[in-house]
Amino acid sequence: MKLKSRFLGTCLLVAAVASAPDRASACSSEVPEPGLSVWEIGNPPDRLYTASGGVFSLYGYLYDVEPADATALVDVALTLDGEAQATEVEVLRLSPTPIAGEPGWTVAIVVRPVEPLQAGEYQVTVGNVDDDEATFPLTVEAEPVAVPGPPTAQVIKPEEVTAGYDDRVCCESQLTSSCGDTERCSFTSISKVPAVYVEPSSLPPAQAGSALVWVQRLDAAGQPDPDRRFTYPARHDVSWTVEFAAAQAEYCVVLGVTNLVDGTSVSGSPQCLSREEAGEPYVESDEPTEEEIESWECVGPLEYDDGTPFGEEPPTKKSGCRIGADGQAWAWLAVLAALGLRRRRR
């Protein structure tokens, strides 16, 4: 199969649609072919910065390809005064971001010059296997690359996020959807969980070019959760909404930074919100209205998934939801919010 690179925004849109609770959206979603999408090709920056002796990184999405194989899918040319500079490219996984249950990752594409970068103005040209490319300048500051300190929390506040939908009610309709389906369904309960919204302080541009910033959730015992660490290139302004599936006395995260030159990481002290500030998980009822049911034009009984008629209490009522093991529920909620997508009933 030919590996193709696709614009990162398309991948995010597909993932957002595939994550939405409306099953009808599945028939119009497109799963991308295996490949590597490089954000900067479609969105070339005005300028990148790094320090003398440093590296620089690009941002991308890797779908169903191993990082070691992905380096062949991107070409990075670095020049100084028209003279080519030898580089090595490494693809680092940042956070798991599956599409329709298939493997996917956000990644940093780290460009390591063979000879140390010197102060000056370089040109970077990035291309992919589809012959798309972008060119932009790279400023290398005279200050040497340094070990960056961990970012502090510029903003930290409680949020409540939707973690999942449960308990469908459905009927057979005389209307046919665009997918050829005659079943109309609506979810009747919404799982809400507390979250910590955090914005880290920015690193100096020259040091940020050679670094990644990250946030990691702490469990109820105050230990780092290895499956809840979310990473992003430090040259971008970034914020995270980190959700908690269970109530804790305190909801805590730590902020850290990773030096891409030598791979070392440092983190700061925990940033916490109390249960009184952030709340705890709960399930909200969301039964369809009479007007909505009428618009479905049902020709069969309106029932819950277990066969209980609508309006009667199902024999076993779910009291919560499972947060996906990939840790990306918060990420797709953020994407959905950014795209202006809302829950839709069929």
Side-chain angles (χ1 to χ4, degrees):
M1 178 183 295
K2 180 182 178 182
L3 295 176
K4 291 188 176 181
S5 175
R6 296 184 182 275
F7 182 61
L8 180 63
T10 301
C11 294
L12 293 179
L13 176 59
V14 168
V17 171
S19 301
D22 184 3
R23 293 184 303 106
S25 63
C27 69
S28 59
S29 65
E30 178 188 357
V31 176
E33 295 183 32
L36 173 66
S37 295
V38 183
W39 174 256
E40 285 78 7
I41 291 179
N43 301 268
D46 293 334
R47 182 177 299 273
L48 295 184
Y49 292 88
T50 192
S52 298
V55 301
F56 65 94
S57 68
L58 309 172
Y59 182 64
Y61 180 83
L62 185 64
Y63 178 70
D64 202 17
V65 178
E66 290 299 316
D69 299 327
T71 57
L73 306 180
V74 60
D75 180 58
V76 182
L78 181 66
T79 60
L80 176 63
D81 297 329
E83 183 176 343
Q85 309 293 304
T87 61
E88 296 177 349
V89 174
E90 181 182 12
V91 177
L92 298 178
R93 288 174 171 173
L94 301 183
S95 298
T97 313
I99 292 181
E102 298 297 325
W105 291 79
T106 55
V107 294
I109 303 158
V110 184
V111 183
R112 303 184 184 278
V114 174
E115 296 295 329
L117 291 174
Q118 305 299 319
E121 295 291 319
Y122 292 74
Q123 287 291 317
V124 179
T125 299
V126 184
N128 61 25
V129 294
D130 291 334
D131 296 326
D132 303 318
E133 67 175 33
T135 299
F136 41 86
L138 169 70
T139 295
V140 179
E141 303 284 5
E143 62 178 290
V145 67
V147 178
T152 58
Q154 185 169 285
V155 177
I156 181 168
K157 62 181 182 178
E159 281 199 356
E160 179 185 87
V161 299
T162 298
Y165 298 87
D166 286 314
D167 299 332
R168 295 187 315 161
V169 61
C170 302
C171 78
E172 284 296 321
S173 171
Q174 65 181 3
L175 302 176
T176 302
S177 73
S178 59
C179 303
D181 193 0
T182 58
E183 187 179 48
R184 294 298 174 99
C185 294
S186 176
F187 291 91
T188 61
S189 64
I190 305 172
S191 298
K192 303 282 188 176
V193 297
V196 174
Y197 173 85
V198 58
E199 290 182 14
S201 58
S202 299
L203 299 178
Q207 302 302 326
S210 295
L212 302 173
V213 290
W214 46 268
V215 65
Q216 188 160 22
R217 191 177 76 182
L218 302 184
D219 62 21
Q223 297 301 308
D225 185 339
D227 295 327
R228 296 298 187 270
R229 177 163 161 171
F230 309 111
T231 309
Y232 206 79
R235 65 183 173 88
H236 294 279
D237 291 329
V238 64
S239 64
W240 292 280
T241 299
V242 183
E243 62 186 48
F244 291 77
Q248 299 181 187
E250 287 188 313
Y251 303 104
C252 299
V253 299
V254 293
L255 293 168
V257 62
T258 296
N259 185 352
L260 287 171
V261 176
D262 59 13
T264 57
S265 293
V266 293
S267 59
S269 58
Q271 307 288 318
C272 301
L273 297 173
S274 68
R275 186 186 299 189
E276 288 71 23
E277 291 174 297
E280 54 189 76
Y282 69 95
V283 175
E284 180 180 274
S285 177
D286 187 23
E287 302 282 356
T289 65
E290 292 183 5
E291 290 78 13
E292 288 172 314
I293 295 172
E294 184 178 352
S295 69
W296 294 354
E297 299 189 23
C298 294
V299 294
L302 187 61
E303 299 176 331
Y304 293 98
D305 277 337
D306 62 4
T308 303
F310 178 64
E312 297 183 13
E313 187 71 16
T316 55
K317 189 76 171 178
K318 297 177 183 177
S319 59
C321 73
R322 175 182 177 274
I323 305 299
D326 56 32
Q328 287 299 302
W330 64 271
W332 293 131
L333 289 169
V335 172
L336 288 169
L339 293 172
L341 296 178
R342 296 179 179 271
R343 174 190 175 198
R344 293 171 296 164
R345 288 201 175 94
R346 293 181 48 213

